[in-house]
């Protein structure tokens, strides 16, 4: 596996430029965690599956909260109890998940940025290889 230490100075400058535009920010990720109940931080880190699951848990919580309010207005004890239980389950699961993500976020950022770094290095090395192949395949006099 190649690393950025395998790059020339010019390639390192290209690498830094590409990384600057592609890497994810720790500050932004933590700001999005404030909206963690919506899964924003997971969508930001290109984890749409778990981001969508957090969003679904949030929407379920909202629906059951509305049912709880309706049951309370109708003074229906059965609807209140069922709605409270159905509200508490996804809300509690989501709450715990967001707290856990608070501690997992640095690792998720490192993994994402490391993956992006590796992709950029591989692309630069592929480009270098193509340049070398093109340079070798040209006639000696430079005329095609």
């Amino acid at each position: 596996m190649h690393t950025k230490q395998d790059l020339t100075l010019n390639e390192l400058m290209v690498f830094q430029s590409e990384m600057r535009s592609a890497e994810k920010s720790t500050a932004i990720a933590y700001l999005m965690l404030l909206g963690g109940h919506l899964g924003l931080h997971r969508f930001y880190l290109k984890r749409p599956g778990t981001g969508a699951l957090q969003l679904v848990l949030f929407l379920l919580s909202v629906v059951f909260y509305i049912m709880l309010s309706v049951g309370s207005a109708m003074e229906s004890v059965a609807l209140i109890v069922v709605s409270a239980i159905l509200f508490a389950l996804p809300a509690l699961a989501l709450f715990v998940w967001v707290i856990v993500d608070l501690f997992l976020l640095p690792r998720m950022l490192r993994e994402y940025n490391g993956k992006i770094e590796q992709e950029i290095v591989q692309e630069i090395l592929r480009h270098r290889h193509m340049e070398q192949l093109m340079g070798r395949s040209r006639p000696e006099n430079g005329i095609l």
Side-chain angles (χ1 to χ4, degrees):
M1 183 181 292
H2 295 285
T3 64
K4 59 184 176 183
Q5 285 76 20
D6 298 329
L7 302 177
T8 65
L9 183 59
N10 285 338
E11 291 169 341
L12 272 174
M13 290 184 347
V14 170
F15 169 80
Q16 290 297 337
S17 172
E18 291 296 317
M19 271 305 288
R20 211 172 299 118
S21 65
E23 71 183 340
K24 300 297 183 180
S25 163
T26 302
I28 291 174
Y30 274 107
L31 282 173
M32 288 187 170
L33 186 62
L34 293 175
H37 56 283
L38 299 174
L40 297 178
H41 60 291
R42 288 193 169 259
F43 286 114
Y44 178 66
L45 294 173
K46 305 292 188 221
R47 294 174 180 236
T50 54
L53 188 54
Q54 286 184 339
L55 183 58
V56 166
L57 286 174
F58 171 73
L59 293 175
L60 284 173
S61 297
V62 168
V63 167
F64 294 130
Y65 182 77
I66 292 169
M67 281 178 51
L68 181 63
S69 299
V70 169
S72 182
M74 292 175 33
E75 297 179 2
S76 169
V77 175
L79 186 58
I80 291 172
V81 170
V82 169
S83 298
I85 292 169
L86 291 176
F87 165 72
L89 292 175
L92 184 61
L94 185 60
F95 175 75
V96 169
W97 194 355
V98 170
I99 297 299
V100 169
D101 275 359
L102 178 67
F103 298 100
L104 291 180
L105 203 54
R107 181 179 56 89
M108 288 191 291
L109 279 160
R110 275 193 310 275
E111 287 174 0
Y112 179 84
N113 287 336
K115 180 181 166 213
I116 292 299
E117 179 178 307
Q118 193 58 233
E119 288 173 5
I120 292 171
V121 167
Q122 291 303 319
E123 185 62 33
I124 289 172
L125 292 175
R126 269 194 297 278
H127 181 66
R128 179 200 294 171
H129 182 69
M130 292 303 292
E131 288 290 319
Q132 290 171 345
L133 289 176
M134 288 175 58
R136 290 185 188 144
S137 65
R138 289 186 183 154
E140 300 256 342
N141 61 8
I143 301 173
L144 295 175

